[in-house]
Amino acid sequence: LKSQQKHSSKVLITGLMSQRGLWCYMAAAMLLDKGISCRVVLNVQHSDDWSDLVEGIRAQSVLVFCENELAPKAHGLILQMQKWNRPITAIGAGFWLAAHELDITAQGDVKVYSEPLEGISGFIKINQ
């Protein structure tokens, strides 16, 4: 039963205005290799669309790449992510730096990482 649950889990991998398509697909390959089903949706343009997307596909957890231009919006975006009530991993150096300065790199179910491989590895651990 546990393996069936693992295969049926839905993970959303996305980026808000992301230029990191390659990282999204690398993360998907790493998750699929562990038997974790996922869906990649690139280049969501607005944070409102992000929330609709998470709810629409009923993602159980979300891995999101946040570009440096989102750093000034880190506080608001992290608060928004908390409302999704599911494990969220956000990855991006500038975004992490802004969250670190606000002391919110680990807010409830939202974890922020600066380095992609570290973030993806942490995300895999919470989804196994």
Side-chain angles (χ1 to χ4, degrees), residues 75-118:
H75 185 261
L77 288 172
I78 290 170
L79 288 176
Q80 180 181 4
M81 289 180 211
Q82 284 183 293
K83 293 177 184 175
W84 298 343
N85 295 316
R86 64 201 80 205
I88 311 293
T89 296
I91 300 172
F95 193 79
W96 176 87
L97 187 58
H100 180 71
E101 288 175 2
L102 296 168
D103 197 26
I104 55 172
T105 57
Q107 271 314 91
D109 287 335
V110 181
K111 306 287 184 266
V112 183
Y113 293 86
S114 63
E115 207 281 313
L117 285 177
E118 180 186 7

Side-chain angles (χ1 to χ4, degrees), residues 47-66:
S47 58
D48 293 340
D49 296 338
W50 227 0
S51 295
D52 292 342
L53 181 63
V54 170
E55 294 302 324
I57 70 163
R58 293 186 292 249
Q60 293 176 356
S61 57
V62 180
L63 175 64
V64 62
F65 289 89
C66 299

Side-chain angles (χ1 to χ4, degrees), residues 2-61:
K2 183 172 170 121
S3 67
Q4 286 178 335
Q5 288 174 339
K6 185 161 78 167
H7 287 287
S8 67
S9 69
K10 285 192 177 182
V11 170
L12 172 63
I13 302 171
T14 190
L16 188 59
M17 303 182 330
S18 180
Q19 303 301 312
R20 298 220 184 158
L22 180 60
W23 273 111
C24 289
Y25 288 115
M26 287 177 60
M30 293 170 71
L31 289 164
L32 290 169
D33 187 52
K34 298 290 185 185
I36 303 167
S37 67
C38 57
R39 182 168 178 186
V40 176
V41 179
L42 298 176
N43 300 327
V44 176
Q45 295 298 312
H46 303 285
S47 58
D48 293 340
D49 296 338
W50 227 0
S51 295
D52 292 342
L53 181 63
V54 170
E55 294 302 324
I57 70 163
R58 293 186 292 249
Q60 293 176 356
S61 57

